[in-house]
Amino acid sequence: MTTMQESDGSTPTTGHEEVGSVMGNPVQAAIWPEADISTEQAPHFRLKGPVGLSLTDGGADFGPGGHLATNTYYNLFNLGKWRKNCGELPLELQLSGHGRFVLSIRVSGTITSTHQIFTETIDLDGTVRQPIVFGDLRHGPAVMYFELTALDHARLDDFAWATTASPRRTPELTIAITTFRREDEVARTSERFRKFRAQSQLRDHMHMLIVDNGGTVSIDDGDGVRVIPNQNLGGSGGFTRGLLAAKDADATHCLFMDDDASIQMQAISRTWWFLAYALDPRTAVAGGMINAAYRWQVWENGARFDRGCIPLYSRLDLRKRKAVFSMEYQTTASAPEDFYGGWWFFAFPIAEARHLPFPFFVRGDDVSFSLVNDFSIVTLPGVASIQESFTDKASPQTWYLDFRSHLIHYLSGAARQRTWRELLKMVRSFYLRNILRFHYDTLSAVNLAMEDVMRGPGFFDDNADMAQRRADLKALTTSETWKTLDATPQERLGRLPRPLRALWLATLNGHLAPFSDRLGSRLVLSAPYRDDYRKTYGAKQITYLNADGTASYVVHRDRRRFWQETMRLWKNTLRLRRNFSQLHEEWRRGYADMTSDAYWDDKLKLNGSAE
């Protein structure tokens, strides 16, 4: 059994040695619970007995018998993923603190039982380094973690999984943030980044660009942060502006990130190190999304696009060890061809971005960017952003943006080619999910989206700022508008036996039934069921609540609007079918032109320069 090696006492995560030094590079530093980000304990650590965590400075204080384990989402080490993507690296565990502990290091995988590869009593007095010896441990999906049990009063200040191997490359990472009139959020993000960068050994290789689409940000340049004013062409225009500026600054990698950056900053360093050691220069890192209402619940850990956006591992409980291990085992395999990463956190090699974003304004730009460029995308444990649920954000405008981008992905060739019959299923899905819930405003927006796509790429060039369409969509939204509640009504779902549900579906929830104005009940649906049309069967009126129950809107079955929007969609679908080949060719040419450097230089009035 190997013996702990003492270091000079510097902390493992904030040392100032050069990248690639013999002291070891902390390729995965600890992520501690953090106030205002996530204070959920179980996704970070498993604790037993007298042990407590600090929410301000990190670290854990132990009484005798206190136990801490890192077999958790934020702090396990995905050994299989690192071996597959970065090769065989000498690994070690670095611990800093003081006191006597029993340290155990374990490896758990899909093809072997859990192995205990190290157990020994250690004395911490500063920083110690434990080399990892795997012996004849077989390869395959596997995760590694450690457990500490205190033998007296003790403290763990910090830890990191590290390697003494030199990186294959030194990423010059530009973090590009697009913001529009969210001054407080982006100010907090820039301040958090400055504090993190000042203590990081990577500070000379990380910089932040804030693209200000609203012209309202008042943040001083300096300490690795710079603000760039930009006209408001949405997220597409803002992130493109940041990418072009990164190119101009000779950055090798770019990280698209939300302006509120609800991440632990160590997610950035984990991403940097993974990119530094990756065997494939096409490697990109997609951050997951965690539900802001339940900060132990995954909204998505990467997603696929197949006639719709399919979030992966949605609703997975990060407090459950087996579920987390299973997710990490499965994501060790190469991502499917239709995999994409959201722009709340997406880091990629600039040289492999052969196409810039398409001017969607918002929604669909991240999907298209991932699909059309030849990235090798991975997810990493603990690299995730805390976000509000997409369900609460849904509106006629978001459905308009989603549907038009879905069609364009296929017409442009960004997504894998589908037959007309397969695309018709996508149209039908958008129709049913709205007509059954009496969302006529949204169905009108879907119709408008189809009509705009059939206008061709030139329409998107002329309306890149979405000003006219935003006004149009606001005007058509008459019933699906949130109104403040004085008291939250009691939830009432449509709970019908299967035969009755089939009958209501056959009549499109009463729209095709005689005397339908007299049929149905009054339902109340909370936010988790807002998109679930199966809970609306048998309704004639539905009240929808937002996530915290403070606002609602009410919709009714309306046969006049049903027929109006249904016939409109039918005519649009026939027209799309008739002109599909012509539109496909037109969109393939237009997409290539409108994702070029020359197009965006002109659109952003850069005259060939991002400065």
Side-chain angles (χ1 to χ4, degrees):
M1 190 153 306
T2 55
T3 304
M4 279 279 193
Q5 299 178 10
E6 294 190 5
S7 78
D8 60 359
S10 62
T11 61
T13 59
T14 60
H16 301 307
E17 63 267 17
E18 293 296 321
V19 172
S21 88
V22 293
M23 285 303 301
N25 294 315
V27 295
Q28 183 173 302
I31 289 182
W32 300 91
E34 183 179 339
D36 299 325
I37 302 296
S38 177
T39 58
E40 290 283 347
Q41 176 182 296
H44 291 83
F45 299 98
R46 303 199 185 281
L47 306 179
K48 291 182 183 179
V51 55
L53 305 175
S54 170
L55 294 179
T56 53
D57 303 320
D61 289 295
F62 295 76
H67 181 85
L68 175 148
T70 64
N71 52 351
T72 60
Y73 170 68
Y74 281 105
N75 284 304
L76 62 79
F77 185 83
N78 193 320
L79 178 63
K81 193 172 291 185
W82 269 86
R83 280 176 162 176
K84 179 178 183 294
N85 292 278
C86 302
E88 293 286 347
L89 301 175
L91 293 172
E92 63 184 36
L93 175 63
Q94 299 182 357
L95 300 165
S96 65
H98 59 266
R100 299 187 73 224
F101 296 90
V102 174
L103 169 66
S104 296
I105 302 175
R106 304 175 189 270
V107 174
S108 182
T110 59
I111 58 177
T112 60
S113 60
T114 298
H115 281 262
Q116 186 164 289
I117 59 174
F118 178 88
T119 298
E120 193 169 300
T121 299
I122 64 168
D123 290 291
L124 278 183
D125 185 14
T127 298
V128 294
R129 302 162 56 199
Q130 172 56 49
I132 309 297
V133 178
F134 295 105
D136 59 355
L137 188 68
R138 296 171 63 188
H139 284 205
V143 297
M144 184 164 59
Y145 59 95
F146 71 87
E147 298 179 352
L148 279 178
T149 302
L151 299 179
D152 51 24
H153 290 282
R155 177 171 173 80
L156 176 67
D157 290 321
D158 221 337
F159 64 87
W161 300 98
T163 182
T164 54
S166 298
R168 289 184 171 83
R169 64 188 61 83
T170 302
E172 300 299 334
L173 180 66
T174 291
I175 301 165
I177 288 177
T178 297
T179 189
F180 180 77
R181 297 180 182 174
R182 300 187 73 193
E183 300 87 357
D184 292 342
E185 290 88 342
V186 78
R188 284 194 295 269
T189 295
S190 65
E191 184 60 25
R192 290 181 66 229
F193 174 73
R194 280 174 165 147
K195 290 180 179 178
F196 166 72
R197 181 178 179 273
Q199 300 177 38
S200 174
Q201 72 184 82
L202 306 177
R203 59 184 171 274
D204 294 333
H205 308 291
M206 299 187 300
H207 299 83
M208 178 178 285
L209 288 173
I210 298 172
V211 180
D212 179 16
N213 279 357
T216 58
V217 172
S218 56
I219 296 173
D220 293 334
D221 290 349
D223 300 322
V225 176
R226 183 160 66 98
V227 177
I228 303 176
N230 195 46
Q231 62 176 306
N232 185 24
L233 298 180
S236 303
F239 283 117
T240 301
R241 181 76 164 92
L243 175 52
L244 291 174
K247 280 185 177 182
D248 218 46
D250 295 326
T252 62
H253 292 75
C254 192
L255 166 58
F256 288 167
M257 197 164 70
D258 271 353
D259 52 9
D260 61 359
S262 296
I263 61 166
Q264 280 97 335
M265 285 289 160
Q266 283 294 355
I268 299 174
S269 70
R270 289 188 183 188
T271 298
W272 192 98
W273 286 112
F274 196 84
L275 295 172
Y277 284 95
L279 296 167
D280 189 343
R282 300 177 302 122
T283 300
V285 175
M289 179 191 288
I290 294 173
N291 191 338
Y294 309 104
R295 301 189 180 211
W296 44 263
Q297 185 185 73
V298 174
W299 178 262
E300 71 175 56
N301 190 31
R304 294 177 52 225
F305 180 79
D306 184 3
R307 290 165 292 172
C309 298
I310 306 169
L312 301 179
Y313 306 101
S314 187
R315 303 187 186 279
L316 184 139
D317 191 337
L318 294 174
R319 299 170 299 184
K320 296 182 177 179
R321 181 185 63 83
K322 287 184 178 179
V324 171
F325 278 25
S326 177
M327 177 175 68
E328 290 303 317
Y329 295 152
Q330 292 173 35
T331 57
T332 297
S334 298
E337 183 181 349
D338 55 5
F339 188 87
Y340 71 89
W343 282 357
W344 49 83
F345 192 104
F346 187 70
F348 58 92
I350 293 174
E352 301 299 328
R354 309 299 168 85
H355 291 267
L356 296 178
F358 183 83
F360 282 115
F361 194 77
V362 293
R363 294 266 181 162
D365 38 15
D366 48 5
V367 180
S368 176
F369 188 70
S370 289
L371 295 179
V372 76
N373 288 304
D374 189 23
F375 300 130
S376 177
I377 306 175
V378 298
T379 60
L380 296 176
V383 177
S385 180
I386 312 292
Q387 300 280 327
E388 293 180 11
S389 165
F390 279 171
T391 301
D392 238 20
K393 298 176 182 179
S395 68
Q397 177 170 296
T398 61
W399 280 80
Y400 164 86
L401 295 165
D402 280 342
F403 188 68
R404 71 176 196 171
S405 67
H406 282 31
L407 282 178
I408 292 169
H409 297 332
Y410 287 112
L411 287 168
S412 67
R416 181 164 60 92
Q417 191 63 45
R418 291 289 183 180
T419 66
W420 170 252
R421 182 169 293 182
E422 289 173 321
L423 290 185
L424 192 59
K425 290 180 181 178
M426 182 180 78
V427 176
R428 185 174 63 186
S429 172
F430 272 78
Y431 172 73
L432 287 175
R433 284 184 290 153
N434 284 294
I435 209 66
L436 295 172
R437 299 183 302 127
F438 310 155
H439 277 55
Y440 311 109
D441 292 350
T442 296
L443 190 55
S444 179
V446 168
N447 268 310
L448 182 60
M450 188 182 294
E451 292 156 5
D452 285 349
V453 170
M454 289 189 287
R455 290 181 169 94
F459 176 83
F460 288 76
D461 182 30
D462 295 338
N463 292 272
D465 63 359
M466 269 278 291
Q468 183 59 52
R469 275 296 175 258
R470 280 180 283 160
D472 296 338
L473 290 161
K474 183 177 181 180
L476 68 79
T477 306
T478 58
S479 58
E480 299 168 37
T481 55
W482 295 104
K483 295 180 176 60
T484 303
L485 284 169
D486 294 326
T488 304
Q490 184 175 357
E491 183 175 76
R492 186 182 179 192
L493 307 177
R495 301 184 185 277
L496 300 176
R498 181 172 294 179
L500 281 180
R501 291 202 306 269
L503 179 62
W504 281 103
L505 176 59
T507 64
L508 296 182
N509 210 6
H511 286 105
L512 301 179
F515 312 111
S516 64
D517 292 343
R518 303 177 186 177
L519 297 174
S521 56
R522 301 174 188 274
L523 304 180
V524 179
L525 272 64
S526 59
Y529 300 109
R530 190 176 170 211
D531 283 343
D532 190 350
Y533 62 82
R534 292 163 296 190
K535 297 294 188 292
T536 69
Y537 289 137
K540 65 178 179 181
Q541 174 184 300
I542 309 170
T543 300
Y544 289 95
L545 304 176
N546 67 348
D548 57 11
T550 59
S552 72
Y553 64 85
V554 181
V555 294
H556 307 79
R557 187 190 301 122
D558 186 332
R559 296 184 75 186
R560 182 190 64 81
R561 292 203 69 190
F562 162 77
W563 284 112
Q564 180 184 42
E565 295 302 335
T566 297
M567 295 309 297
R568 181 182 173 192
L569 186 69
W570 177 250
K571 291 176 182 178
N572 282 333
T573 303
L574 289 177
R575 181 180 161 210
L576 179 64
R577 175 69 182 95
R578 185 169 59 250
N579 299 322
F580 191 77
S581 296
Q582 177 186 336
L583 285 167
H584 182 64
E585 183 59 33
E586 185 179 353
W587 270 103
R588 287 180 70 91
R589 292 195 307 268
Y591 185 91
D593 291 341
M594 294 168 65
T595 57
S596 66
D597 285 37
Y599 171 83
W600 277 108
D601 279 353
D602 181 65
K603 200 69 179 174
L604 296 170
K605 300 178 175 58
L606 301 180
N607 298 319
S609 171
E611 292 299 324

